[in-house]
Amino acid sequence: MPHRKPCLGIMLLVAALSTGCAAHLQTRTVQDGDTYDLWAARMEHMPFVFHEPDGHVDVYDVRGNAWTGPTNDLKDGSADRVEVYEGHYAAATGTMCTPSTTALTAGRAAGSANVVAAICDRGRTVVSFSDKVRARVLDAKTEYVPRVRHLLLEGIWESVAQEPAPLHT
């Protein structure tokens, strides 16, 4: 029976890799100055604004705890933040960071609910993603907010803007 442990390990690895593939990153909005390190540091002090399908909004810190910082600049879009919308969305859009409350509307598309999220540099979308998530996962904000952070930073890391400049010979 010693060969069962490696098989179990392989199965766990495959399962872990397959669960991380549900998110679809949108990296076209990443600019040269949007580095992983820059946004990783900024996100430590940014609010994560969750918009529920019924219009309710909750704000969390980077660890998924209730936000205790200022909220007066969130409605007009003049603050750096992470916007997270729960509902039925075709994909993340470049308008997720606009201050208009009608910038993103949930359609009644067939299929399960999903989440779209973006890092907002005031009104500019830095990077975004769409992710299918179960309600019980969304309810655990101390676990889901770090996933949002990870996916957004991964989008910056994988963007064309972060590719090294070619060497000139």
Side-chain angles (χ1 to χ4, degrees), residues 86-101:
E86 303 172 28
H88 295 274
Y89 302 96
T93 69
T95 61
M96 292 179 61
C97 296
T98 59
S100 168
T101 56

Side-chain angles (χ1 to χ4, degrees), residues 18-26 84-92 112-117 128-134 137-138 144 147-148 151:
S18 66
T19 59
C21 296
H24 298 283
L25 298 169
Q26 299 293 328
V84 182
Y85 291 85
E86 303 172 28
H88 295 274
Y89 302 96
S112 62
N114 67 331
V115 169
V116 290
S128 58
F129 73 83
S130 175
D131 191 18
K132 291 190 185 289
V133 181
R134 294 176 191 238
V137 174
L138 279 172
Y144 191 66
R147 175 172 167 74
V148 169
L151 287 171

Side-chain angles (χ1 to χ4, degrees), residues 32-57:
D32 292 343
D34 295 324
T35 66
Y36 182 100
D37 292 337
L38 170 75
W39 284 105
R42 284 186 182 177
M43 288 173 79
E44 288 295 316
H45 308 287
M46 287 172 43
F48 286 67
V49 183
F50 277 74
H51 303 266
E52 295 180 14
D54 65 2
H56 182 76
V57 176

Side-chain angles (χ1 to χ4, degrees), residues 99-162:
S100 168
T101 56
T102 60
L104 188 64
T105 56
R108 296 285 181 220
S112 62
N114 67 331
V115 169
V116 290
I119 296 176
C120 299
D121 181 7
R122 295 179 177 81
R124 179 179 71 90
T125 299
V126 176
V127 64
S128 58
F129 73 83
S130 175
D131 191 18
K132 291 190 185 289
V133 181
R134 294 176 191 238
R136 67 179 167 77
V137 174
L138 279 172
D139 291 342
K141 295 298 191 266
T142 56
E143 294 176 24
Y144 191 66
V145 169
R147 175 172 167 74
V148 169
R149 179 184 186 275
H150 169 77
L151 287 171
L152 291 168
L153 290 173
E154 182 179 322
I156 291 172
W157 184 261
E158 292 180 5
S159 70
V160 173
Q162 297 304 301

